[in-house]
């Protein structure tokens, strides 16, 4: 039986789930003298996340990190399902699926490292940034040409929304 192209999954995606460090950020942290850990997130990824929420998609973040600044940023984009400090991401995934009545075949998850492996094996369309670790690349149905924190989330969201005719392609459109 021939493996399906990742593009065949795009029209059925209703839910986007992302890891944070290495996916929505470049995986680096700047540690201040007071011990705060600062991360950098792409504005273009943020625009795509907000667009997906505005178009009615489920958008969720499951991260092992526990930086509340990340939650504030994501909540500001309309992403309210944010699981931080997730030591066992599959538990949060199952909780989210039950809460929202989501089927795994309608989910795109983007991860970059070993803690994402179990979740990626449990969903329909596992994806990763170009700079993910080899183990994650080996199970991904799509590897973005973008690196984590540098537009990888935008890449997959834009592809799904374009296939479903929901991308804001008109530059004259009003963006509120």
């Amino acid at each position: 039986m021939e493996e399906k192209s990742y593009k065949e999954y795009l029209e059925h995606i209703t839910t986007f789930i992302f890891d944070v460090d290495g996916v929505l950020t470049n995986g680096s942290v700047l540690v201040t003298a007071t011990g705060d850990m600062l991360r950098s997130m792409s504005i273009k990824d943020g625009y795509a996340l907000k667009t997906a929420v505005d178009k009615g998609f489920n958008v969720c973040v499951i991260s092992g990190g526990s930086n509340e600044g990340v939650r504030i940023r994501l909540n500001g984009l309309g992403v309210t399902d944010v699981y931080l400090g997730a030591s066992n991401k599959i538990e949060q995934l199952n909780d989210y699926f039950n809460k929202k009545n989501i089927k795994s075949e309608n989910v795109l998850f983007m991860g970059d490292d070993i803690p994402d492996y179990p979740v990626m094996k449990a969903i329909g369309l596992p994806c990763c940034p170009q700079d993910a670790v080899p183990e994650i690349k080996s199970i991904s149905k799509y590897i973005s040409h973008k690196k984590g924190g540098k537009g990888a989330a935008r890449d997959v969201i834009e592809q799904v929304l374009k296939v479903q005719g929901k991308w804001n392609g008109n530059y004259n459109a009003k963006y509120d």
Side-chain angles (χ1 to χ4, degrees), residues 26-102:
N26 68 4
S28 296
V29 291
L30 178 64
V31 182
T32 67
T34 59
D36 291 328
M37 291 188 279
L38 307 176
R39 292 159 173 82
S40 174
M41 299 175 110
S42 165
I43 294 296
K44 290 179 179 155
D45 284 346
Y47 172 77
L49 289 164
K50 181 167 181 9
T51 299
V53 169
D54 291 349
K55 297 293 182 175
F57 287 83
N58 298 308
V59 181
C60 175
V61 167
I62 302 175
S63 175
S66 56
N67 185 304
E68 283 301 315
V70 169
R71 184 187 314 276
I72 292 166
R73 166 72 177 142
L74 293 168
N75 287 172
L77 297 171
V79 180
T80 57
D81 295 302
V82 180
Y83 295 85
L84 299 179
S87 57
N88 181 353
K89 293 183 180 188
I90 203 80
E91 287 178 12
Q92 280 76 20
L93 178 75
N94 289 332
D95 178 64
Y96 184 64
F97 279 10
N98 290 333
K99 184 169 93 173
K100 297 280 191 171
N101 196 26
I102 295 169

Side-chain angles (χ1 to χ4, degrees), residues 141-154:
K141 291 180 179 163
Y142 175 70
I143 301 171
S144 176
H145 62 285
K146 302 283 190 175
K147 292 182 177 182
K150 301 291 184 186
R154 164 82 175 246

Side-chain angles (χ1 to χ4, degrees), residues 108-127:
L108 181 154
F109 179 90
M110 182 172 266
D112 72 306
D113 210 343
I114 301 303
D116 302 315
Y117 193 96
V119 173
M120 293 178 74
K121 293 294 283 184
I123 54 90
L125 184 53
C127 301

